[in-house]
Amino acid sequence: MSGIVIIGAGQAAGQAAASLRQEGFEGTITILGDEDSAPYQRPPLSKQYLSGEVGVDRLLVRPEKFYVDKNIDLKTGTRVGSIAPSEKSVTTTGGDRFEYDKLLIATGSRPRILNITGSDLEGIHYLRTMGDVDGIRESMGSASRICIVGGGYIGLEVAAVARTSGLDVTVLEMEDRILQRVTTPEMSAYYHQLHAGRGVNIMTNTTVSGFQGNGSVSAVLCGDEIIEADLVIVGIGIIPNVELAETAGLKCENGIVVDDHCRSSDPDIYAAGDCTNHPNPLLNRRLRLESVPNAMEQARVASANMLGGDRVYAAIPWFWSDQYELKLQMVGFSSDGDSSVIRGDKSTNEFAVFYLNDGKVVAVDAVNSPREFMVCKQLYGKAVNAPDLANPEFELKSLLN
Amino acid sequence: MPQVKFIEFNGTEHVVDASKGESIMVAATNNLVPGIDADCGGECSCATCHVLIDADWQARLGARSEQEESMLDLNPDRTDESRLSCQIPMTDELDGITVRLPEFQY
Protein backbone atom coordinates (compact mmCIF):
# COMPACT_ATOMS: atom_id res chain seq x y z
CA MET A 1 0.00 0.00 0.00
CA SER A 2 1.46 3.37 -1.01
CA GLY A 3 -0.79 5.30 1.28
CA ILE A 4 -2.35 8.73 1.09
CA VAL A 5 -0.69 11.82 -0.33
CA ILE A 6 -2.01 15.30 0.47
CA ILE A 7 -1.04 18.22 -1.76
CA GLY A 8 -1.02 21.46 0.20
CA ALA A 9 -0.29 22.07 3.87
CA GLY A 10 -3.04 24.46 4.87
CA GLN A 11 -5.88 23.90 7.32
CA ALA A 12 -7.68 21.33 5.16
CA ALA A 13 -4.47 19.31 4.80
CA GLY A 14 -3.72 19.45 8.52
CA GLN A 15 -7.26 18.43 9.43
CA ALA A 16 -7.28 15.61 6.87
CA ALA A 17 -4.06 14.11 8.24
CA ALA A 18 -5.43 14.29 11.78
CA SER A 19 -8.81 12.85 10.75
CA LEU A 20 -7.17 9.95 8.89
CA ARG A 21 -5.23 8.95 11.99
CA GLN A 22 -8.28 9.53 14.19
CA GLU A 23 -10.25 7.16 11.95
CA GLY A 24 -7.59 4.54 12.56
CA PHE A 25 -5.68 4.69 9.26
CA GLU A 26 -2.21 3.26 9.84
CA GLY A 27 -0.73 3.60 6.34
CA THR A 28 1.61 6.27 5.06
CA ILE A 29 0.43 9.87 5.08
CA THR A 30 2.55 12.38 3.17
CA ILE A 31 1.79 16.10 3.20
CA LEU A 32 3.49 18.14 0.48
CA GLY A 33 3.30 21.89 1.12
CA ASP A 34 5.13 24.72 -0.60
CA GLU A 35 5.18 27.01 2.44
CA ASP A 36 7.88 26.60 5.08
CA SER A 37 5.52 26.06 7.99
CA ALA A 38 3.44 23.23 9.36
CA PRO A 39 -0.31 23.83 8.78
CA TYR A 40 -1.41 27.03 10.49
CA GLN A 41 -4.58 29.04 10.93
CA ARG A 42 -5.10 31.76 8.36
CA PRO A 43 -8.04 33.68 9.90
CA PRO A 44 -5.90 35.35 12.61
CA LEU A 45 -3.39 36.57 9.97
CA SER A 46 -5.41 39.71 9.19
CA LYS A 47 -6.47 40.09 12.83
CA GLN A 48 -4.57 39.06 15.98
CA TYR A 49 -1.39 37.96 14.18
CA LEU A 50 -1.16 41.28 12.33
CA SER A 51 -1.74 43.21 15.55
CA GLY A 52 0.90 41.13 17.36
CA GLU A 53 -1.59 39.77 19.89
CA VAL A 54 -0.96 36.19 18.76
CA GLY A 55 2.42 34.67 17.89
CA VAL A 56 3.49 31.84 15.59
CA ASP A 57 3.04 29.11 18.21
CA ARG A 58 -0.65 29.95 18.61
CA LEU A 59 -1.06 30.05 14.84
CA LEU A 60 0.00 26.44 14.23
CA VAL A 61 -3.00 24.12 13.98
CA ARG A 62 -0.97 21.49 15.79
CA PRO A 63 2.65 21.60 17.01
CA GLU A 64 5.33 20.17 14.70
CA LYS A 65 5.87 17.35 17.16
CA PHE A 66 2.33 16.13 16.44
CA TYR A 67 3.26 15.11 12.89
CA VAL A 68 6.32 13.23 14.11
CA ASP A 69 4.40 11.48 16.89
CA LYS A 70 1.59 10.47 14.57
CA ASN A 71 3.94 9.30 11.85
CA ILE A 72 2.72 11.89 9.36
CA ASP A 73 5.41 12.76 6.83
CA LEU A 74 5.14 16.54 6.60
CA LYS A 75 7.30 17.89 3.80
CA THR A 76 7.31 21.68 3.89
CA GLY A 77 8.99 23.86 1.27
CA THR A 78 7.96 21.24 -1.26
CA ARG A 79 6.00 22.24 -4.35
CA VAL A 80 4.22 19.66 -6.45
CA GLY A 81 4.84 20.08 -10.18
CA SER A 82 2.47 17.49 -11.59
CA ILE A 83 -0.03 14.73 -10.91
CA ALA A 84 -0.07 11.58 -13.05
CA PRO A 85 -3.47 9.97 -12.38
CA SER A 86 -2.74 7.01 -14.69
CA GLU A 87 0.31 6.09 -12.59
CA LYS A 88 -1.26 7.29 -9.33
CA SER A 89 1.74 9.43 -8.54
CA VAL A 90 2.71 13.05 -7.99
CA THR A 91 6.08 14.61 -8.78
CA THR A 92 7.55 17.63 -7.03
CA THR A 93 9.28 20.47 -8.85
CA GLY A 94 12.48 19.06 -7.28
CA GLY A 95 11.90 15.77 -9.12
CA ASP A 96 10.79 13.60 -6.19
CA ARG A 97 8.01 11.17 -7.00
CA PHE A 98 5.35 9.94 -4.58
CA GLU A 99 2.87 7.16 -5.31
CA TYR A 100 -0.58 7.17 -3.77
CA ASP A 101 -3.56 4.94 -3.30
CA LYS A 102 -5.68 8.00 -2.63
CA LEU A 103 -4.74 11.61 -3.26
CA LEU A 104 -6.19 14.67 -1.55
CA ILE A 105 -5.78 18.01 -3.28
CA ALA A 106 -5.93 20.81 -0.74
CA THR A 107 -4.12 23.51 -2.65
CA GLY A 108 -6.28 26.38 -1.45
CA SER A 109 -6.21 29.70 -3.20
CA ARG A 110 -3.94 32.64 -3.88
CA PRO A 111 -4.51 36.38 -3.94
CA ARG A 112 -5.57 38.02 -7.16
CA ILE A 113 -2.63 40.14 -8.25
CA LEU A 114 -2.79 43.72 -9.55
CA ASN A 115 -0.73 44.11 -12.66
CA ILE A 116 -0.58 47.85 -13.30
CA THR A 117 2.02 50.61 -13.50
CA GLY A 118 4.30 50.47 -10.49
CA SER A 119 2.81 47.30 -9.01
CA ASP A 120 6.30 45.83 -8.51
CA LEU A 121 7.39 48.68 -6.20
CA GLU A 122 8.45 47.78 -2.70
CA GLY A 123 5.89 48.37 0.03
CA ILE A 124 3.02 46.81 -1.92
CA HIS A 125 1.80 43.70 -0.13
CA TYR A 126 -0.77 40.94 -0.46
CA LEU A 127 -2.15 39.00 2.47
CA ARG A 128 -2.47 35.25 2.37
CA THR A 129 0.45 33.67 4.20
CA MET A 130 2.28 34.06 7.48
CA GLY A 131 5.26 35.32 5.45
CA ASP A 132 3.07 38.00 3.86
CA VAL A 133 2.00 39.27 7.27
CA ASP A 134 5.54 39.17 8.66
CA GLY A 135 6.46 41.50 5.77
CA ILE A 136 3.48 43.78 6.42
CA ARG A 137 4.24 44.00 10.13
CA GLU A 138 7.84 44.93 9.43
CA SER A 139 6.72 47.72 7.09
CA MET A 140 3.99 48.89 9.45
CA GLY A 141 6.57 49.74 12.07
CA SER A 142 7.96 52.58 9.98
CA ALA A 143 4.88 53.43 7.90
CA SER A 144 2.58 56.33 8.64
CA ARG A 145 0.10 56.20 5.75
CA ILE A 146 -1.40 52.92 4.66
CA CYS A 147 -3.59 52.53 1.60
CA ILE A 148 -5.74 49.41 1.32
CA VAL A 149 -6.90 48.43 -2.14
CA GLY A 150 -10.18 46.52 -1.86
CA GLY A 151 -12.94 46.97 0.69
CA GLY A 152 -13.61 43.30 1.44
CA TYR A 153 -13.29 41.58 4.82
CA ILE A 154 -9.49 41.21 4.59
CA GLY A 155 -9.04 44.87 3.69
CA LEU A 156 -11.38 46.07 6.44
CA GLU A 157 -9.77 43.85 9.07
CA VAL A 158 -6.36 45.26 8.13
CA ALA A 159 -7.84 48.78 8.22
CA ALA A 160 -9.08 48.17 11.77
CA VAL A 161 -5.68 46.90 12.98
CA ALA A 162 -3.76 49.70 11.23
CA ARG A 163 -6.10 52.42 12.50
CA THR A 164 -5.89 51.04 16.03
CA SER A 165 -2.08 51.26 15.73
CA GLY A 166 -2.44 54.93 14.86
CA LEU A 167 -1.77 54.88 11.11
CA ASP A 168 -3.54 57.06 8.57
CA VAL A 169 -5.75 54.62 6.68
CA THR A 170 -7.37 54.94 3.27
CA VAL A 171 -9.51 52.16 1.77
CA LEU A 172 -10.13 52.20 -1.98
CA GLU A 173 -13.13 50.31 -3.32
CA MET A 174 -13.98 50.12 -7.00
CA GLU A 175 -17.67 49.31 -6.42
CA ASP A 176 -20.15 51.83 -5.06
CA ARG A 177 -19.98 50.30 -1.57
CA ILE A 178 -17.55 48.28 0.54
CA LEU A 179 -18.31 44.55 1.02
CA GLN A 180 -20.39 44.76 -2.16
CA ARG A 181 -19.67 41.16 -3.16
CA VAL A 182 -20.51 39.62 0.20
CA THR A 183 -23.23 41.53 1.99
CA THR A 184 -26.30 43.74 1.76
CA PRO A 185 -26.29 47.52 1.22
CA GLU A 186 -27.53 47.87 4.80
CA MET A 187 -24.53 46.01 6.28
CA SER A 188 -22.14 47.78 3.90
CA ALA A 189 -23.44 51.12 5.16
CA TYR A 190 -23.06 50.02 8.78
CA TYR A 191 -19.42 49.00 8.29
CA HIS A 192 -18.71 52.12 6.23
CA GLN A 193 -19.95 54.30 9.08
CA LEU A 194 -18.06 52.25 11.64
CA HIS A 195 -14.73 52.72 9.87
CA ALA A 196 -15.39 56.34 8.95
CA GLY A 197 -16.21 57.00 12.60
CA ARG A 198 -12.80 55.62 13.59
CA GLY A 199 -11.10 57.93 11.12
CA VAL A 200 -10.64 55.62 8.13
CA ASN A 201 -10.92 57.40 4.78
CA ILE A 202 -13.08 55.20 2.52
CA MET A 203 -13.27 56.04 -1.18
CA THR A 204 -15.85 54.07 -3.18
CA ASN A 205 -16.25 54.03 -6.98
CA THR A 206 -12.47 54.37 -7.07
CA THR A 207 -10.32 52.25 -9.31
CA VAL A 208 -6.56 52.14 -8.86
CA SER A 209 -4.70 52.98 -12.06
CA GLY A 210 -1.10 52.75 -10.85
CA PHE A 211 1.47 53.25 -8.12
CA GLN A 212 4.13 55.91 -7.85
CA GLY A 213 7.45 55.77 -6.08
CA ASN A 214 11.19 55.62 -6.32
CA GLY A 215 12.02 51.99 -5.51
CA SER A 216 9.42 52.02 -2.78
CA VAL A 217 5.78 53.06 -3.12
CA SER A 218 4.95 56.65 -2.17
CA ALA A 219 1.52 57.13 -3.72
CA VAL A 220 -1.46 55.33 -5.21
CA LEU A 221 -2.91 56.73 -8.42
CA CYS A 222 -6.63 56.61 -9.14
CA GLY A 223 -7.01 58.42 -12.45
CA ASP A 224 -6.26 62.06 -11.63
CA GLU A 225 -6.35 61.48 -7.92
CA ILE A 226 -3.10 60.88 -6.00
CA ILE A 227 -3.26 59.23 -2.57
CA GLU A 228 -0.01 59.39 -0.63
CA ALA A 229 0.92 56.11 1.00
CA ASP A 230 4.10 54.46 2.21
CA LEU A 231 2.45 51.06 2.61
CA VAL A 232 -0.12 49.41 0.36
CA ILE A 233 -2.11 46.25 1.03
CA VAL A 234 -3.99 44.77 -1.90
CA GLY A 235 -7.01 42.61 -1.00
CA ILE A 236 -9.04 42.19 -4.17
CA GLY A 237 -10.08 38.57 -3.92
CA ILE A 238 -8.59 35.16 -4.45
CA ILE A 239 -8.12 32.65 -7.23
CA PRO A 240 -8.49 28.92 -6.50
CA ASN A 241 -5.34 26.90 -7.12
CA VAL A 242 -6.68 24.45 -9.70
CA GLU A 243 -3.81 24.35 -12.20
CA LEU A 244 -2.33 21.03 -10.99
CA ALA A 245 -5.75 19.39 -11.12
CA GLU A 246 -6.58 20.91 -14.48
CA THR A 247 -3.31 19.80 -16.07
CA ALA A 248 -3.92 16.30 -14.71
CA GLY A 249 -7.22 16.25 -16.60
CA LEU A 250 -9.54 16.58 -13.62
CA LYS A 251 -12.79 18.40 -14.22
CA CYS A 252 -12.45 22.02 -13.11
CA GLU A 253 -14.94 24.85 -13.35
CA ASN A 254 -14.52 27.71 -10.91
CA GLY A 255 -12.65 25.26 -8.69
CA ILE A 256 -11.98 21.54 -8.76
CA VAL A 257 -15.34 19.92 -9.34
CA VAL A 258 -16.11 17.40 -6.59
CA ASP A 259 -19.21 15.41 -5.66
CA ASP A 260 -20.95 15.37 -2.28
CA HIS A 261 -18.25 12.95 -1.06
CA CYS A 262 -15.48 15.44 -1.95
CA ARG A 263 -14.40 13.14 -4.78
CA SER A 264 -13.10 14.65 -8.02
CA SER A 265 -13.75 13.31 -11.51
CA ASP A 266 -11.00 10.73 -10.78
CA PRO A 267 -12.31 8.22 -8.18
CA ASP A 268 -8.94 8.05 -6.38
CA ILE A 269 -8.49 11.79 -6.12
CA TYR A 270 -10.35 13.93 -3.57
CA ALA A 271 -10.24 17.66 -2.96
CA ALA A 272 -11.05 19.87 0.02
CA GLY A 273 -11.13 23.54 0.93
CA ASP A 274 -10.98 26.81 -1.00
CA CYS A 275 -10.00 25.04 -4.24
CA THR A 276 -13.22 23.02 -4.59
CA ASN A 277 -16.44 23.61 -6.47
CA HIS A 278 -18.80 21.44 -4.44
CA PRO A 279 -22.51 20.71 -4.18
CA ASN A 280 -24.33 21.76 -1.03
CA PRO A 281 -27.57 19.81 -0.56
CA LEU A 282 -28.83 22.26 2.07
CA LEU A 283 -28.45 25.23 -0.28
CA ASN A 284 -29.42 23.20 -3.32
CA ARG A 285 -26.59 24.46 -5.51
CA ARG A 286 -22.89 24.21 -6.23
CA LEU A 287 -20.51 26.72 -4.76
CA ARG A 288 -16.88 27.54 -4.08
CA LEU A 289 -16.23 28.84 -0.59
CA GLU A 290 -13.41 30.85 0.90
CA SER A 291 -13.89 29.57 4.40
CA VAL A 292 -12.04 27.71 7.14
CA PRO A 293 -15.04 25.81 8.56
CA ASN A 294 -15.70 24.53 5.03
CA ALA A 295 -12.07 23.47 4.60
CA MET A 296 -12.16 21.60 7.92
CA GLU A 297 -15.47 19.86 7.22
CA GLN A 298 -14.51 18.87 3.68
CA ALA A 299 -11.23 17.49 5.04
CA ARG A 300 -13.17 15.33 7.52
CA VAL A 301 -15.58 14.16 4.82
CA ALA A 302 -12.82 13.41 2.29
CA SER A 303 -10.77 11.53 4.91
CA ALA A 304 -13.66 9.30 5.90
CA ASN A 305 -14.43 8.54 2.26
CA MET A 306 -10.80 7.93 1.25
CA LEU A 307 -10.86 5.17 3.86
CA GLY A 308 -13.93 3.59 2.28
CA GLY A 309 -16.59 5.43 4.26
CA ASP A 310 -19.81 6.92 2.93
CA ARG A 311 -19.94 10.40 4.41
CA VAL A 312 -21.84 13.17 2.66
CA TYR A 313 -20.85 16.81 2.90
CA ALA A 314 -23.86 18.82 4.06
CA ALA A 315 -22.93 21.86 6.13
CA ILE A 316 -24.38 25.33 6.40
CA PRO A 317 -21.65 27.82 5.50
CA TRP A 318 -20.66 30.20 8.26
CA PHE A 319 -18.07 32.92 8.57
CA TRP A 320 -16.71 35.47 10.98
CA SER A 321 -14.86 38.76 10.87
CA ASP A 322 -13.28 40.75 13.71
CA GLN A 323 -12.98 44.51 13.26
CA TYR A 324 -12.12 46.76 16.20
CA GLU A 325 -14.09 45.40 19.18
CA LEU A 326 -16.84 44.04 16.94
CA LYS A 327 -17.26 40.38 16.20
CA LEU A 328 -19.37 39.71 13.13
CA GLN A 329 -20.63 36.13 12.85
CA MET A 330 -22.51 35.08 9.75
CA VAL A 331 -24.54 32.03 8.79
CA GLY A 332 -25.60 31.36 5.19
CA PHE A 333 -25.83 33.99 2.48
CA SER A 334 -27.91 37.13 2.89
CA SER A 335 -28.45 37.16 -0.88
CA ASP A 336 -30.62 34.03 -0.45
CA GLY A 337 -33.22 36.04 1.47
CA ASP A 338 -36.29 37.76 0.06
CA SER A 339 -36.80 39.78 3.24
CA SER A 340 -34.91 40.70 6.36
CA VAL A 341 -35.68 41.53 9.96
CA ILE A 342 -33.41 43.25 12.45
CA ARG A 343 -33.13 42.28 16.09
CA GLY A 344 -31.44 44.79 18.35
CA ASP A 345 -30.27 48.31 17.70
CA LYS A 346 -27.44 49.17 15.30
CA SER A 347 -26.50 52.25 17.28
CA THR A 348 -25.46 50.00 20.17
CA ASN A 349 -23.22 47.89 17.90
CA GLU A 350 -25.13 44.84 19.11
CA PHE A 351 -27.67 43.60 16.60
CA ALA A 352 -28.46 40.82 14.18
CA VAL A 353 -30.08 40.93 10.76
CA PHE A 354 -31.97 37.74 9.95
CA TYR A 355 -32.70 36.95 6.31
CA LEU A 356 -35.77 34.95 5.40
CA ASN A 357 -36.89 33.33 2.19
CA ASP A 358 -40.55 32.44 1.95
CA GLY A 359 -40.70 32.83 5.72
CA LYS A 360 -37.80 30.45 6.37
CA VAL A 361 -34.52 31.51 7.98
CA VAL A 362 -31.68 31.38 5.43
CA ALA A 363 -29.00 33.67 6.86
CA VAL A 364 -27.94 35.96 9.68
CA ASP A 365 -25.40 38.74 10.10
CA ALA A 366 -24.83 38.94 13.85
CA VAL A 367 -22.74 41.80 15.26
CA ASN A 368 -21.65 41.18 18.85
CA SER A 369 -24.66 38.86 19.06
CA PRO A 370 -23.45 35.28 19.51
CA ARG A 371 -26.89 34.04 20.62
CA GLU A 372 -28.46 35.09 17.33
CA PHE A 373 -25.60 33.43 15.44
CA MET A 374 -26.06 30.18 17.35
CA VAL A 375 -29.83 30.22 16.93
CA CYS A 376 -29.50 30.72 13.18
CA LYS A 377 -27.15 27.75 12.87
CA GLN A 378 -29.94 25.62 14.34
CA LEU A 379 -32.93 27.36 12.75
CA TYR A 380 -31.60 27.27 9.22
CA GLY A 381 -34.35 26.40 6.75
CA LYS A 382 -37.10 26.52 9.37
CA ALA A 383 -40.14 28.79 9.15
CA VAL A 384 -40.39 31.49 11.80
CA ASN A 385 -42.64 34.39 12.62
CA ALA A 386 -40.58 37.43 11.60
CA PRO A 387 -42.03 39.82 14.23
CA ASP A 388 -40.89 37.36 16.92
CA LEU A 389 -37.29 37.69 15.73
CA ALA A 390 -37.55 41.47 15.83
CA ASN A 391 -38.96 41.53 19.36
CA PRO A 392 -36.10 41.81 21.88
CA GLU A 393 -38.39 40.47 24.63
CA PHE A 394 -39.04 37.31 22.65
CA GLU A 395 -36.99 34.34 23.90
CA LEU A 396 -35.06 32.87 20.98
CA LYS A 397 -34.73 29.67 22.95
CA SER A 398 -38.43 28.96 22.43
CA LEU A 399 -37.80 28.63 18.68
CA LEU A 400 -35.54 25.64 19.22
CA ASN A 401 -36.68 22.05 19.96
CA MET B 1 2.74 18.21 32.90
CA PRO B 2 -0.89 18.44 33.98
CA GLN B 3 -3.14 15.70 32.64
CA VAL B 4 -6.68 15.83 31.31
CA LYS B 5 -9.05 12.88 31.24
CA PHE B 6 -11.51 13.11 28.35
CA ILE B 7 -14.54 10.83 28.34
CA GLU B 8 -16.29 10.48 24.99
CA PHE B 9 -20.08 10.32 24.86
CA ASN B 10 -19.79 6.55 24.30
CA GLY B 11 -17.68 6.19 27.44
CA THR B 12 -14.23 5.82 25.83
CA GLU B 13 -11.58 7.47 28.00
CA HIS B 14 -8.46 9.33 26.86
CA VAL B 15 -5.90 10.53 29.39
CA VAL B 16 -3.58 13.07 27.77
CA ASP B 17 -0.74 15.36 28.79
CA ALA B 18 -1.37 19.08 28.40
CA SER B 19 1.14 21.88 28.37
CA LYS B 20 0.60 24.61 30.92
CA GLY B 21 -1.10 27.60 29.33
CA GLU B 22 -2.55 25.68 26.40
CA SER B 23 -6.30 25.25 26.38
CA ILE B 24 -8.19 22.05 27.07
CA MET B 25 -9.37 22.25 23.44
CA VAL B 26 -5.76 22.23 22.20
CA ALA B 27 -4.93 19.30 24.49
CA ALA B 28 -7.80 17.40 22.84
CA THR B 29 -6.94 18.20 19.22
CA ASN B 30 -3.20 17.60 19.70
CA ASN B 31 -4.02 14.14 20.98
CA LEU B 32 -6.70 13.23 18.44
CA VAL B 33 -9.49 13.06 20.99
CA PRO B 34 -12.66 12.73 18.90
CA GLY B 35 -15.72 14.87 19.55
CA ILE B 36 -14.13 18.31 19.57
CA ASP B 37 -14.25 20.09 16.22
CA ALA B 38 -12.79 23.49 17.20
CA ASP B 39 -13.51 24.96 13.77
CA CYS B 40 -12.54 28.53 14.67
CA GLY B 41 -9.24 27.52 16.24
CA GLY B 42 -9.96 28.83 19.71
CA GLU B 43 -11.43 32.28 19.12
CA CYS B 44 -14.71 31.59 20.90
CA SER B 45 -16.41 32.10 17.53
CA CYS B 46 -17.99 28.72 16.80
CA ALA B 47 -18.89 26.77 19.97
CA THR B 48 -17.76 23.46 18.44
CA CYS B 49 -15.49 22.63 21.40
CA HIS B 50 -18.35 22.26 23.92
CA VAL B 51 -17.48 20.05 26.93
CA LEU B 52 -19.04 19.17 30.28
CA ILE B 53 -17.13 19.66 33.53
CA ASP B 54 -18.61 18.73 36.92
CA ALA B 55 -19.24 21.24 39.70
CA ASP B 56 -16.16 20.32 41.77
CA TRP B 57 -13.79 21.04 38.91
CA GLN B 58 -15.85 24.02 37.73
CA ALA B 59 -15.20 25.65 41.09
CA ARG B 60 -11.50 25.71 40.25
CA LEU B 61 -12.01 27.33 36.84
CA GLY B 62 -12.51 30.99 36.12
CA ALA B 63 -16.06 32.08 35.40
CA ARG B 64 -17.37 32.04 31.84
CA SER B 65 -16.85 35.26 29.94
CA GLU B 66 -19.91 36.96 28.49
CA GLN B 67 -18.94 35.75 25.02
CA GLU B 68 -18.56 32.14 26.19
CA GLU B 69 -21.85 32.33 28.09
CA SER B 70 -23.67 33.69 25.01
CA MET B 71 -22.20 31.07 22.69
CA LEU B 72 -23.32 28.29 25.05
CA ASP B 73 -26.71 29.73 25.93
CA LEU B 74 -28.65 28.31 23.01
CA ASN B 75 -26.78 25.04 22.71
CA PRO B 76 -29.40 22.25 22.90
CA ASP B 77 -27.09 20.17 25.11
CA ARG B 78 -26.41 23.03 27.50
CA THR B 79 -26.24 22.15 31.20
CA ASP B 80 -24.72 23.83 34.26
CA GLU B 81 -21.59 21.84 33.46
CA SER B 82 -21.20 23.29 29.96
CA ARG B 83 -17.97 25.06 29.02
CA LEU B 84 -16.14 25.90 25.81
CA SER B 85 -12.85 24.06 26.14
CA CYS B 86 -10.93 26.67 24.10
CA GLN B 87 -11.55 29.15 26.90
CA ILE B 88 -9.92 27.10 29.68
CA PRO B 89 -6.12 27.28 29.90
CA MET B 90 -4.48 24.33 31.66
CA THR B 91 -2.65 24.92 34.95
CA ASP B 92 -1.02 22.66 37.53
CA GLU B 93 -4.11 23.09 39.73
CA LEU B 94 -6.20 21.48 36.99
CA ASP B 95 -4.03 18.34 36.85
CA GLY B 96 -6.37 15.35 36.60
CA ILE B 97 -9.43 17.31 35.48
CA THR B 98 -12.19 15.16 34.00
CA VAL B 99 -13.84 16.50 30.87
CA ARG B 100 -16.88 14.81 29.32
CA LEU B 101 -17.83 15.27 25.68
CA PRO B 102 -21.38 15.83 24.48
CA GLU B 103 -22.89 13.65 21.76
CA PHE B 104 -22.85 16.42 19.13
CA GLN B 105 -21.20 19.74 18.41
CA TYR B 106 -23.51 22.33 16.86
Side-chain angles (χ1 to χ4, degrees):
Chain A
M1 172 129 183
S2 336
I4 292 174
V5 172
I6 301 171
I7 306 178
Q11 284 188 261
Q15 182 59 46
S19 293
L20 288 166
R21 287 289 182 245
Q22 203 166 53
E23 303 245 355
F25 178 63
E26 290 175 353
T28 310
I29 302 175
T30 310
I31 302 179
L32 306 170
D34 61 359
E35 287 185 62
D36 290 325
S37 169
Y40 59 90
Q41 305 178 52
R42 290 191 202 278
L45 289 180
S46 50
K47 312 176 180 87
Q48 303 95 322
Y49 186 70
L50 179 62
S51 69
E53 211 177 303
V54 157
V56 183
D57 50 329
R58 286 265 308 277
L59 224 48
L60 292 182
V61 174
R62 290 180 175 80
E64 284 175 16
K65 186 176 169 291
F66 171 85
Y67 302 92
V68 179
D69 289 351
K70 303 297 172 194
N71 196 21
I72 294 162
D73 191 7
L74 171 63
K75 294 190 187 305
T76 55
T78 304
R79 176 177 276 271
V80 172
S82 62
I83 304 168
S86 57
E87 296 168 15
K88 294 178 74 167
S89 73
V90 305
T91 304
T92 66
T93 52
D96 292 325
R97 184 169 173 275
F98 297 86
E99 291 185 356
Y100 62 80
D101 291 312
K102 302 285 179 197
L103 175 68
L104 177 68
I105 304 178
T107 43
S109 53
R110 61 180 182 273
R112 188 179 294 279
I113 301 292
L114 265 185
N115 194 4
I116 52 178
T117 311
S119 53
D120 53 354
L121 285 167
E122 268 180 50
I124 300 173
H125 297 263
Y126 294 83
L127 199 163
R128 177 72 190 172
T129 67
M130 204 191 294
D132 291 340
V133 179
D134 291 341
I136 294 169
R137 287 189 56 189
E138 205 182 304
S139 305
M140 254 171 88
S142 57
S144 56
R145 275 186 291 251
I146 182 171
C147 180
I148 294 161
V149 180
Y153 285 118
I154 294 275
L156 295 179
E157 287 176 354
V158 172
V161 173
R163 193 68 202 112
T164 305
S165 326
L167 271 69
D168 275 346
V169 182
T170 299
V171 174
L172 306 177
E173 169 56 53
M174 63 186 283
E175 303 291 343
D176 61 1
R177 59 184 172 95
I178 55 170
L179 300 173
Q180 191 265 348
R181 192 173 63 100
V182 288
T183 195
T184 60
E186 186 184 20
M187 289 300 289
S188 290
Y190 171 78
Y191 272 97
H192 189 121
Q193 277 169 20
L194 170 75
H195 282 275
R198 307 290 167 113
V200 174
N201 174 30
I202 299 179
M203 299 169 66
T204 53
N205 293 312
T206 303
T207 302
V208 177
S209 51
F211 300 100
Q212 225 170 39
N214 188 5
S216 184
V217 68
S218 59
V220 181
L221 309 175
C222 305
D224 295 338
E225 196 124 26
I226 297 176
I227 296 134
E228 287 185 26
D230 43 15
L231 176 60
V232 172
I233 314 290
V234 183
I236 53 171
I238 59 135
I239 298 170
N241 291 325
V242 301
E243 289 77 3
L244 276 176
E246 215 162 39
T247 309
L250 302 182
K251 189 175 178 200
C252 294
E253 197 183 305
N254 183 29
I256 301 168
V257 174
V258 295
D259 65 14
D260 60 1
H261 285 60
C262 295
R263 193 168 28 215
S264 77
S265 56
D266 179 315
D268 294 318
I269 303 180
Y270 291 72
D274 284 13
C275 64
T276 67
N277 171 340
H278 58 274
N280 187 316
L282 303 167
L283 297 171
N284 246 327
R285 63 177 184 266
R286 284 193 158 269
L287 61 162
R288 180 172 63 75
L289 279 176
E290 299 155 20
S291 145
V292 164
N294 172 61
M296 306 264 286
E297 181 59 13
Q298 286 196 315
R300 292 184 197 110
V301 169
S303 299
N305 294 330
M306 284 193 289
L307 300 180
D310 180 21
R311 187 161 159 188
V312 170
Y313 171 92
I316 307 288
W318 65 271
F319 314 87
W320 80 97
S321 174
D322 297 336
Q323 295 166 51
Y324 307 104
E325 70 283 8
L326 304 188
K327 185 182 277 291
L328 168 65
Q329 293 167 293
M330 298 160 269
V331 178
F333 298 99
S334 49
S335 52
D336 286 343
D338 58 21
S339 64
S340 67
V341 52
I342 185 163
R343 182 178 175 89
D345 180 356
K346 274 190 213 159
S347 66
T348 65
N349 292 332
E350 203 177 298
F351 67 96
V353 186
F354 286 90
Y355 303 92
L356 311 180
N357 189 310
D358 199 17
K360 293 175 183 142
V361 176
V362 292
V364 75
D365 290 324
V367 175
N368 284 353
S369 298
R371 281 182 183 80
E372 281 70 12
F373 166 73
M374 289 301 289
V375 86
C376 187
K377 265 184 155 184
Q378 295 165 64
L379 272 187
Y380 186 90
K382 298 201 176 108
V384 292
N385 180 26
D388 285 347
L389 290 177
N391 176 5
E393 306 298 320
F394 179 79
E395 284 276 354
L396 290 174
K397 208 172 269 185
S398 66
L399 293 171
L400 305 174
N401 307 314
Chain B
M1 249 184 190
Q3 288 191 320
V4 186
K5 184 202 272 186
F6 291 98
I7 306 176
E8 287 184 59
F9 189 74
N10 67 14
T12 310
E13 294 188 2
H14 306 258
V15 177
V16 309
D17 290 331
S19 300
K20 271 195 281 181
E22 80 179 19
S23 69
I24 288 180
M25 177 277 280
V26 167
T29 56
N30 283 353
N31 290 281
L32 294 179
V33 176
I36 288 189
D37 291 346
D39 279 346
C40 76
E43 291 198 17
C44 205
S45 289
C46 71
T48 63
C49 65
H50 178 210
V51 297
L52 303 164
I53 296 174
D54 70 25
D56 286 352
W57 283 108
Q58 286 265 8
R60 292 182 237 182
L61 307 176
R64 298 178 190 94
S65 69
E66 201 185 315
Q67 174 79 10
E68 182 184 349
E69 180 60 45
S70 307
M71 292 294 289
L72 283 168
D73 189 28
L74 297 178
N75 190 307
D77 296 338
R78 167 72 196 263
T79 73
D80 288 345
E81 300 188 334
S82 291
R83 294 297 305 249
L84 292 180
S85 55
C86 73
Q87 298 300 301
I88 307 173
M90 277 304 288
T91 59
D92 285 331
E93 292 74 60
L94 295 180
D95 183 28
I97 188 169
T98 298
V99 173
R100 286 179 298 111
L101 302 174
E103 187 172 12
F104 301 111
Q105 298 289 351
Y106 291 87

